[in-house]
Amino acid sequence: MAASPAAVRRSFSRKPIEKTVMTRDDALKQLSHIARERAFGRHVGSDRLIQAGLNALIAGVESPSLAMLAGLLRSEEPEAPALFDQVLEELGMLFRPPADPRAAKWALACWIAGQIADGSMEPATGTHLIWADVAYDLGYPEELKPLVRCAHDLDGWEESWGVSLEELNREAVEAAKQFLSKGSAAEAGD
């Protein structure tokens, strides 16, 4: 049975309209995130690059090329990647992964694990990326096995297992945190 138009209007009128303005720090974090996505070979559409530029401009980030990026028209979208890199350069945020392919894979694993740990990436997505894009290429190293196991568990989860999906997600977040802490400890020991 469909709700009456009056009931629909009442339900919407009770819901507050929230407009969230991106802070300068949020905008810089978004630029950094997209920079890493692109550096690690992920496709980022020109529309996202332009929107990130617009978000940064509105949030008060200052860069000589930022307004040009944010103001690109649809017909000018092919210019967005070069302008985005120029903005990153001007802000001192240009990121290049290590030149060594194995080191780049480890850097990718750390970046993805960091996103799982801080909640900016779903555990199932992140652990799958580590499994498919990193662990395989590195020959399934011991350090990544807990995250790969979480990827398998999350990918094949069934309600009959007696463990909730939320618990598996928590385990994946914990595995990501453990991986990051071991990596930091190893780096500190160098």
Side-chain angles (χ1 to χ4, degrees), residues 40-61:
F40 286 123
R42 303 270 180 251
H43 172 75
V44 178
S46 292
D47 58 332
R48 276 188 63 206
L49 301 177
I50 295 167
Q51 184 62 52
L54 182 59
N55 292 344
L57 189 64
I58 291 170
V61 175

Side-chain angles (χ1 to χ4, degrees), residues 128-164:
H128 180 80
L129 288 171
I130 288 174
W131 170 30
D133 293 353
V134 179
Y136 176 82
D137 291 340
L138 294 175
Y140 296 102
E142 197 63 39
E143 298 89 341
L144 295 177
K145 285 185 180 175
L147 289 162
V148 171
R149 185 176 57 253
C150 289
H152 283 284
D153 290 347
L154 287 164
D155 187 50
W157 179 80
E158 294 180 16
E159 198 170 331
S160 64
W161 287 6
V163 62
S164 70

Side-chain angles (χ1 to χ4, degrees), residues 19-190:
K19 290 186 179 181
T20 56
V21 177
M22 188 174 280
T23 67
R24 185 177 189 283
D25 288 344
D26 291 340
L28 290 171
K29 185 176 180 180
Q30 182 182 47
L31 291 173
S32 176
H33 176 84
I34 292 172
R36 279 166 174 68
E37 270 187 276
R38 293 179 70 230
F40 286 123
R42 303 270 180 251
H43 172 75
V44 178
S46 292
D47 58 332
R48 276 188 63 206
L49 301 177
I50 295 167
Q51 184 62 52
L54 182 59
N55 292 344
L57 189 64
I58 291 170
V61 175
E62 295 180 15
S63 156
S65 302
L66 189 57
M68 291 188 308
L69 173 64
L72 288 177
L73 302 173
R74 184 169 303 279
S75 63
E76 300 170 316
E77 283 185 356
E79 299 172 36
L83 270 173
F84 185 82
D85 287 343
Q86 192 172 333
V87 168
L88 293 176
E89 184 76 41
E90 292 165 0
L91 294 171
M93 297 175 64
L94 196 58
F95 174 79
R96 288 186 176 79
D100 175 64
R102 287 186 64 77
K105 288 292 181 180
W106 282 109
L108 177 59
C110 289
W111 179 64
I112 294 170
Q115 291 179 84
I116 295 169
D118 75 12
S120 61
M121 183 179 287
E122 291 291 322
T125 302
T127 56
H128 180 80
L129 288 171
I130 288 174
W131 170 30
D133 293 353
V134 179
Y136 176 82
D137 291 340
L138 294 175
Y140 296 102
E142 197 63 39
E143 298 89 341
L144 295 177
K145 285 185 180 175
L147 289 162
V148 171
R149 185 176 57 253
C150 289
H152 283 284
D153 290 347
L154 287 164
D155 187 50
W157 179 80
E158 294 180 16
E159 198 170 331
S160 64
W161 287 6
V163 62
S164 70
L165 195 54
E166 291 78 20
E167 180 59 31
L168 292 179
N169 281 324
R170 281 191 294 274
E171 288 175 14
V173 169
E174 188 55 37
K177 289 178 180 177
Q178 289 293 321
F179 170 73
L180 291 170
S181 70
K182 289 176 183 174
S184 298
E187 289 170 16
D190 286 345

